[in-house]
């Protein structure tokens, strides 16, 4: 979710300068011509084109990260710059490699998942492993895994035969797609563009969020091969530009990363007629729209006998889920769900407070952040403030408090809530699943943290709980952002939302294997970092993750990871691990 600038509803005529309208019309016309070129381009030629894009992204990586650092008012020497390397060039370069692999398989007449050993999940679901995707990832992300669960009733044969989506019919293009870019993570707009192009055979017009206008130059350099062929145009502007484009007859489809409020403004407009339009199913937007819109992400903590080191590490893990990127992530963890009967509840909360205190300060950079923090403080006067400026909020909801506001408001700022539920073991987990499914707004991602021994003891009950969680990505002992970083994992809300109840959005992106009929991604990680993981019987060589907000070497590690994705080599591994172990 990003709180994008308000888009002028379709009922209003945007007041745009004639020259601006002319430029936008010209961009769409050029893309229409590019669509013809795309339809004639063979799959092997598309593989070659993606290789060129991969090289141009790698060449523009320093410029990219520098622009992102300035857009977010970061000190260039801050460890937080590592976030920009990992969620920008690294994830895009990794996805480009994965897409080349997928298109290469299609070009050879095989399924993109022909070499995958498909498994099963509760409810008769077929599962597709997506992490690790190769030997490099098996070492680089040792101890982490991810698999995609397909919708119930989908057969193994249909999963294999349908993988490829629009890339299987390259001559059947689908017009010009408008991508209304995110304003928080720089990897999102390019990944959305690539999915439009490869999965849906749509050339793309990317409209940047004004917060990210600085990215125009690096994006233009990074994606020059697509721009030169008329497959991509990038424009800037406020909500009036977005509205003009969304309602332009030359646009066949709209994709937005933003807030549900902005989505509804585009689709339904404003004023007293909205309710009637929703009731009659007559949106103002007369073309299809897909979306990724965030939500209130839970962090379910399973009670168990944790060591002091476990309490401290997992408190940093939770705080990372909230404070990464300053707190401005669609997938930021917002509510910690604890057992009221966990003897270590108070000890864990003490570690949470300590982590909120010692995490390096970061000035708010996303518009409206302070207002949203103050709004949460007004709703919960007992909330505790942390950080030198008091900009971080911890809201500990007790049994008699009204939690409804924090459960249904995506604050998109450094606001972390805590609620408690009764029970232990399976009873607590089942209650937590029922509560977050019913009471939390949004279905983008959910997190579960628990001792490996606790999860093993729950057995089938734990896997069944994952099946019952209605979220697009579920992370077990890691953060759902790992799903975002995994090229083969679909990224989006739990399927089934509608235009009039959009929640976290409609459709998926990323999905480099081009799977059809996905339901959710399950990502798993080690409960403890190496070497403590090995000492406790976990087979995981991964140290403190570089995306942790307390990782001191994150900038160097992030840059090395991007360099690896630009040109994978075993010889680059030692430097990455040395840097990571200095976190």
């Amino acid at each position: 979710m990003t709180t994008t600038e308000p888009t002028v509803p379709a009922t209003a005529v945007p007041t745009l300068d004639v020259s601006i309208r002319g430029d936008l019309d010209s961009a769409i016309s050029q893309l229409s011509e590019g669509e013809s070129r795309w339809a004639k381009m063979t799959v092997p030629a598309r593989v070659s084109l993606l290789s060129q894009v991969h090289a141009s992204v790698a060449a523009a990586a320093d410029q990219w990260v520098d622009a992102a650092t300035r857009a977010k008012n970061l000190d260039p020497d801050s460890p937080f710059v590592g976030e920009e390397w990992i969620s920008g060039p690294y994830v895009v370069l990794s996805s480009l490699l994965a897409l080349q692999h997928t298109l290469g398989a299609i070009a050879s007449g095989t399924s993109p998942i022909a070499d995958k050993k498909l498994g099963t999940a509760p409810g008769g679901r077929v599962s597709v492993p997506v992490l690790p995707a190769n030997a490099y990832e098996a070492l680089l992300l040792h101890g982490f895994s991810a698999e995609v669960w397909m919708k119930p009733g989908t057969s193994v044969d249909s999963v294999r035969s349908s993988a490829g989506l629009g890339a299987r019919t390259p001559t059947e293009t689908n017009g010009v797609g408008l991508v209304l870019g995110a304003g928080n993570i720089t990897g999102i707009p390019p990944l959305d563009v690539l999915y439009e192009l490869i999965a849906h055979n749509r050339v793309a017009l990317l409209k940047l969020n004004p917060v990210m206008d600085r990215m125009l130059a690096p994006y233009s350099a990074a994606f020059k091969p697509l721009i030169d062929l008329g497959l991509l145009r990038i424009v800037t502007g406020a909500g009036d530009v977005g509205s003009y484009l969304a309602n332009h007859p030359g646009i066949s489809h709209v994709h937005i990363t933003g807030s549900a409020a902005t989505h509804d403004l585009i689709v339904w407009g404003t004023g007293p007629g909205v309710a009637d339009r929703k009731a009659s199913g007559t949106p103002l937007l007369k073309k299809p729209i897909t979306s990724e819109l965030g939500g209130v992400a839970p962090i379910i903590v399973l009670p168990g006998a944790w060591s002091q080191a476990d309490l401290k590490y997992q408190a940093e893990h939770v705080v990372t889920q909230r404070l990464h990127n300053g707190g401005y992530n669609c997938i930021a963890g917002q509510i910690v769900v604890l057992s009221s009967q966990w003897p270590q509840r108070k000890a864990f909360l003490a570690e949470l407070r300590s982590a909120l205190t010692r995490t390096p300060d970061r000035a708010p950079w996303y518009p409206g952040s302070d207002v949203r923090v103050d709004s949460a403080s007004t709703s919960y006067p007992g909330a505790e403030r942390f950080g030198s400026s008091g900009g971080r909020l911890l809201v500990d909801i007790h049994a008699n408090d009204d939690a409804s506001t924090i459960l249904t408001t995506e604050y998109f700022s450094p606001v972390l809530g805590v609620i408690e539920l009764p029970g232990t073991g399976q009873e607590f987990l089942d209650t937590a699943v029922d509560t977050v499914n019913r009471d939390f707004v949004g279905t983008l991602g959910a997190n579960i943290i628990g001792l490996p021994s606790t999860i093993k003891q729950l057995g089938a009950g734990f896997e069944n709980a994952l099946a019952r969680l209605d979220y697009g990505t579920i992370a077990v002992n890691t953060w759902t952002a790992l799903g975002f970083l995994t090229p083969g994992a679909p990224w989006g809300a739990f399927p089934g939302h509608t235009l009039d109840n959009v929640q976290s959005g409609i459709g998926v992106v990323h999905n480099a294997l081009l799977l059809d009929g996905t339901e959710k991604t399950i990502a798993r990680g080690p409960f403890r970092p190496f070497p403590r993981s090995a000492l406790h019987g976990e087979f995981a060589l991964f140290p403190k993750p570089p995306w942790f907000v307390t990782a001191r070497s994150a900038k160097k590690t992030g840059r090395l990871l991007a360099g690896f994705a630009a040109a994978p080599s075993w010889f680059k591994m030692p430097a990455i691990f040395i840097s990571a172990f200095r976190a």
Side-chain angles (χ1 to χ4, degrees), residues 41-117:
M41 188 176 289
T42 65
V43 175
R46 295 181 181 194
V47 176
S48 177
L49 176 60
L50 290 183
S51 178
Q52 295 174 43
V53 175
H54 183 267
S56 60
V57 169
D62 283 297
Q63 180 188 5
W64 180 322
V65 172
D66 178 66
T69 299
R70 287 183 286 118
K72 299 180 181 183
N73 296 321
L74 278 174
D75 181 340
D77 296 323
S78 168
F80 291 137
V81 175
E83 298 176 359
E84 302 312 314
W85 280 105
I86 294 172
S87 63
Y90 168 75
V91 67
V92 173
L93 288 165
S94 298
S95 295
L96 283 163
L97 291 175
L99 286 170
Q100 289 177 66
H101 177 272
T102 291
L103 292 188
I106 293 172
S108 67
T110 61
S111 168
I113 56 172
D115 60 344
K116 300 286 186 183
K117 183 179 180 180

Side-chain angles (χ1 to χ4, degrees), residues 106 223 326 407 528 542:
I106 293 172
F223 298 96
L407 301 186
R528 305 175 180 93
F542 208 81

Side-chain angles (χ1 to χ4, degrees), residues 188-480:
I188 292 177
L191 291 174
D192 292 348
V193 164
L194 290 170
Y195 200 66
E196 285 289 288
L197 195 62
I198 304 300
H200 298 302
N201 275 335
R202 278 192 290 266
V203 296
L205 176 58
L206 169 60
K207 206 286 283 186
L208 298 184
N209 185 299
V211 178
M212 287 294 159
D213 279 353
R214 286 182 184 269
M215 296 306 299
L216 178 60
Y219 283 164
S220 297
F223 298 96
K224 187 176 185 297
L226 300 181
I227 294 170
D228 287 348
L229 287 172
L231 308 179
L232 171 65
R233 288 292 181 268
I234 307 173
V235 300
T236 60
D240 52 356
V241 171
S243 179
Y244 180 79
L245 292 172
N247 295 286
H248 195 287
I251 296 294
S252 62
H253 180 275
V254 178
H255 178 78
I256 178 175
T257 300
S259 67
T262 302
H263 169 276
D264 285 356
L265 191 64
I266 294 170
V267 173
W268 301 104
T270 59
V274 170
D276 291 339
R277 286 192 287 273
K278 284 188 175 183
S280 62
T282 54
L284 292 177
L285 186 70
K286 304 301 182 183
K287 59 194 68 176
I289 181 171
T290 53
S291 49
E292 190 264 84
L293 307 173
V296 174
I299 307 169
I300 300 171
V301 178
L302 303 179
W306 295 15
S307 70
Q308 185 59 41
D310 295 337
L311 292 168
K312 179 179 179 180
Y313 176 78
Q314 291 299 343
E316 291 185 10
H317 189 185
V318 169
V319 168
T320 290
Q321 295 183 34
R322 178 66 270 180
L323 296 185
H324 182 279
N325 197 35
Y328 315 114
N329 284 335
C330 55
I331 203 58
Q334 182 166 306
I335 305 292
V336 184
V337 183
L338 299 178
S339 165
S340 60
Q341 295 170 244
W342 186 27
Q344 292 178 293
R345 179 189 186 280
K346 290 184 178 179
F348 183 66
L349 286 177
E351 288 296 342
L352 268 186
R353 293 182 174 93
S354 176
L356 285 167
T357 299
R358 68 175 180 272
T359 298
D361 277 341
R362 180 169 183 173
W365 64 268
Y366 202 88
S369 177
D370 290 343
V371 173
R372 293 188 292 278
V373 171
D374 289 342
S375 172
S377 182
T378 299
S379 297
Y380 298 98
E384 303 169 63
R385 288 186 175 268
F386 295 86
S388 61
S389 62
R392 301 168 182 168
L393 219 59
L394 179 64
V395 182
D396 188 2
I397 305 290
H398 297 285
N400 296 324
D401 296 333
D402 180 8
S404 59
T405 300
I406 200 169
L407 301 186
T408 56
T409 304
E410 184 189 3
Y411 281 108
F412 209 65
S413 59
V415 176
L416 180 65
V418 179
I419 66 170
E420 58 182 37
L421 299 173
T424 59
Q426 191 70 51
E427 178 191 6
F428 168 75
L429 178 56
D430 288 343
T431 300
V433 169
D434 291 341
T435 299
V436 301
N437 279 346
R438 181 188 64 238
D439 298 338
F440 286 41
V441 71
T443 65
L444 187 60
N447 310 272
I448 303 178
I449 297 173
L451 283 168
S453 58
T454 300
I455 294 171
K456 182 178 180 180
Q457 186 176 24
L458 293 171
F462 182 80
E463 296 299 310
N464 289 331
L466 297 183
R468 291 198 304 112
L469 265 173
D470 293 339
Y471 287 83
T473 300
I474 301 168
V476 180
N477 285 336
T478 183
W479 180 24
T480 43

